[in-house]
């Protein structure tokens, strides 16, 4: 069975005091036992966040990391640095990293390798642009992103992988993929894993949906067979909304 997961990607939001306030709010809530909850604050607030949730099931994860283990890479953060502040999971391949920071599939494959070598868990993001969908190319785009960025890993490494399907046209736009569109792509991704690896690996991998998930639409999306949870942007910045999404599984 795939794990149910709700992860909040805070992006470049929340300074130190906002991070602590939001976590304080979340810690007051009861997290359902069968849902893994993660939050991804900025690098500068990871340690404070980790300390804040030390005794709590919320996991603190990173939004990005560098592919090299160390060295002269001004402004970058390594896997070892993340691990030293309690981070065990990293988001790789977010469309904002792909689009604004020119992260190619080849670079993302390197990042995945570095994360795996460091025994970290990876949330690997894929997603098509609006033009891809308008041209009917969405499945080919996702297939290529999977093949070029992820499908080089070994069978054994899949226990460290979570997938996130985030159609670029639905991120921060208020426009969500319909539950049907999400299910269709999630099934496509699961079938692709089964074809390339095995039915067992495909069945056990959690595939999250991301893109304008809100309390009002989470239930319908999470109810779909191949949707195992969500990667949440804007709605993860408000404790009430994030909790409502965490509680949206049937
Ligand atoms: P929104 O929920 O704000 O659309 O962002 C989704 C996202 O990019 C999460 O990684």
């Amino acid at each position: 069975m795939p794990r149910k997961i709700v992860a909040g990607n805070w992006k470049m939001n929340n300074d130190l005091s906002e991070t602590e306030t939001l976590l304080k709010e979340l810690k007051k809530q009861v997290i359902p036992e069968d849902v893994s909850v993660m939050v991804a604050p900025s690098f500068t607030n990871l340690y404070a966040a980790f300390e804040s949730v030390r005794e709590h099931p919320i996991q603190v994860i990173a939004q990005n990391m560098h592919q090299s283990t160390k060295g002269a890479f001004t402004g970058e953060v390594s896997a070892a640095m993340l691990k030293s502040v309690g981070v065990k999971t990293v988001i790789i391949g977010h469309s904002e990293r792909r689009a604004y920071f020119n992260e190619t599939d080849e670079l993302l494959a390197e990042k995945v390798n570095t994360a795996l070598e460091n025994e970290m868990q990876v949330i690997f993001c894929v997603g098509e642009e609006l033009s891809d969908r308008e041209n009917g190319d969405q499945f080919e785009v996702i297939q290529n992103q999977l093949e070029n960025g992820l499908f080089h890993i070994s069978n054994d490494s899949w226990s460290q992988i979570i997938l996130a399907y985030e159609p670029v046209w639905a991120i921060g736009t208020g426009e969500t993929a319909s539950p049907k569109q999400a299910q269709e792509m999630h099934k496509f991704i699961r079938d692709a894993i089964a074809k390339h690896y095995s039915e067992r690996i495909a069945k056990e991998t959690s595939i999250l949906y991301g893109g304008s998930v809100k309390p009002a639409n989470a239930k319908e999306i999470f109810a779909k067979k191949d949707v195992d949870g969500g990667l949440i942007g804007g709605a993860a910045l408000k404790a009430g909304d994030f909790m409502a999404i965490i509680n949206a599984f049937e």
Side-chain angles (χ1 to χ4, degrees):
M1 276 279 281
R3 271 189 301 152
K4 292 179 191 167
I5 299 167
V6 176
N9 176 9
W10 293 359
K11 309 192 179 181
M12 201 171 72
N13 296 293
N14 289 340
D15 64 13
L16 179 58
S17 85
E18 289 161 338
T19 296
E20 288 176 333
T21 304
L22 180 49
L23 288 174
K24 217 182 267 176
E25 285 294 307
L26 292 174
K27 282 194 295 181
K28 286 187 209 152
Q29 315 291 326
V30 180
I31 309 271
E33 262 178 36
D34 61 341
V35 182
S36 294
V37 174
M38 306 176 182
V39 294
S42 67
F43 285 140
T44 55
N45 298 319
L46 285 174
Y47 188 57
F50 172 69
E51 283 292 317
S52 167
V53 297
R54 214 182 245 285
E55 307 291 328
H56 197 274
I58 295 175
Q59 296 163 52
V60 174
I61 70 171
Q63 299 176 19
N64 180 34
M65 60 164 228
H66 196 263
Q67 64 278 16
S68 299
T69 47
K70 59 155 75 177
F73 300 102
T74 301
E76 291 293 332
V77 171
S78 71
M81 289 169 185
L82 294 177
K83 284 173 73 180
S84 74
V85 294
V87 172
K88 298 192 184 108
T89 301
V90 60
I91 300 171
I92 291 179
H94 193 282
S95 61
E96 287 150 18
R97 299 294 319 171
R98 292 175 187 262
Y100 308 145
F101 303 95
N102 302 320
E103 295 199 353
T104 60
D105 288 332
E106 291 67 33
L107 174 76
L108 298 175
E110 277 186 62
K111 289 193 178 202
V112 167
N113 292 343
T114 305
L116 294 176
E117 281 158 19
N118 281 276
E119 293 172 348
M120 293 180 77
Q121 179 171 247
V122 172
I123 300 183
F124 188 80
C125 303
V126 294
E128 81 283 2
E129 311 256 346
L130 181 59
S131 55
D132 299 323
R133 189 161 275 270
E134 283 172 348
N135 295 334
D137 293 337
Q138 64 270 30
F139 297 110
E140 195 186 326
V141 168
I142 302 302
Q143 181 77 35
N144 286 338
Q145 290 176 348
L146 290 171
E147 273 174 19
N148 300 330
L150 189 64
F151 278 6
H152 61 282
I153 68 170
S154 70
N155 283 27
D156 289 346
S157 299
W158 275 89
S159 58
Q160 288 161 259
I161 301 290
I162 297 162
L163 272 162
Y165 168 56
E166 298 204 309
V168 179
W169 48 271
I171 295 178
T173 56
E175 190 172 336
T176 331
S178 67
K180 188 168 168 269
Q181 284 172 320
Q183 167 56 26
E184 190 180 42
M185 187 58 85
H186 282 228
K187 182 168 184 332
F188 176 82
I189 293 170
R190 209 178 293 285
D191 288 347
I193 300 169
K195 228 179 271 168
H196 206 278
Y197 289 91
S198 71
E199 285 286 347
R200 183 186 61 79
I201 290 173
K203 262 193 206 146
E204 285 172 3
T205 301
S206 296
I207 308 176
L208 316 183
Y209 170 79
S212 298
V213 178
K214 304 272 181 282
N217 58 26
K219 215 177 189 107
E220 247 191 320
I221 297 172
F222 291 180
K224 289 294 175 192
K225 183 169 175 285
D226 289 294
V227 178
D228 305 307
L231 184 53
I232 320 299
L237 300 173
K238 292 189 194 130
D241 285 359
F242 192 51
M243 278 313 303
I245 294 169
I246 290 165
N247 285 303
F249 292 96
E250 276 175 350

